[in-house]
Structures are given as C-alpha cells and as structure tokens.
Amino acid sequence: MGDITGTLLAGIALGTFAGIASRPAGRPPRLVLLLGGFFVLTVGGLGLRGATALLGDDVVSGFGDLRDFLVQMASVAISLAIGLLATERLPSTTRRAHPSAPPTVPWSPGSPGSPG
C-alpha cells in the first residue's frame, strides 16, 4: 500500500486502540498508551538521513528524504488524531482517579491551603 497509507492506517489503529484501552477504571490515560506506538511510527530516520545527505552535498537525495519525512510526520499526526477522536466520548462519572492520586477537595475560603 505504500509508506504513507501504511503509516496512516497504523496511526488510526493505534489511536483507536489507545482510546478503547484507556476507558476502564484503573487503566493508564490515552497518552501513556499512545507513546510507545508513537515512537515506533515516527520516521526520524528519514529526517536524519536527509540532513546527513544535505551535509554531504547530496542535495537531491537530501531534499527528497526531508520531503518524505515531512509528509510522513503529517500522516502520523493526522492518523493519531483520527483514531483518538473516533473513540472520544464524554468523561465517565464512574471512572475514578488512579489510586495514588491525591483526593480532590473543593476549594473554599478559609480552608487550609487556600490563598489569603
């Protein structure tokens, strides 16, 4: 299917999986689930290869690699956004914060830790 289409489909699948897998209580947030796959999908090697070619006076190859790098990075960003937006929903009222998170207390004037 090609580099761009494959990256686009993989990013959509990753974003969708992260959105679904983060729903149950006690699961990590979507961003944490997304990070590992994001680093796999990024194409930093193309950017590095393009910069190296430019520094080595291979202008045609260098600009070609940098063009491919920019197109694939845009593809990764768009596809992840599509996958995440496809699984977006209103916050659940039954989902609880992570057990290690401090309890949330509504602020009121004169309470300990309040300004003034």
Side-chain angles (χ1 to χ4, degrees), residues 17-116:
F17 171 76
I20 292 170
S22 67
R23 284 187 180 169
R27 298 288 303 183
R30 291 186 304 175
L31 181 61
V32 173
L33 296 172
L34 195 72
L35 278 177
F38 173 76
F39 287 120
V40 171
L41 286 175
T42 56
V43 289
L46 277 176
L48 183 61
R49 188 170 51 198
T52 304
L54 285 175
L55 291 174
D57 292 331
D58 186 5
V59 177
V60 174
S61 174
F63 279 123
D65 287 341
L66 288 177
R67 182 197 64 231
D68 292 344
F69 167 73
L70 292 174
V71 169
Q72 285 192 359
M73 284 305 294
S75 176
V76 167
I78 291 168
S79 64
L80 290 177
I82 289 170
L84 289 174
L85 290 173
T87 58
E88 182 64 29
R89 64 183 185 142
L90 295 175
S92 172
T93 57
T94 59
R95 183 173 174 150
R96 296 190 179 117
H98 192 271
S100 66
T104 56
V105 178
W107 177 82
S108 63
S111 65
S114 66

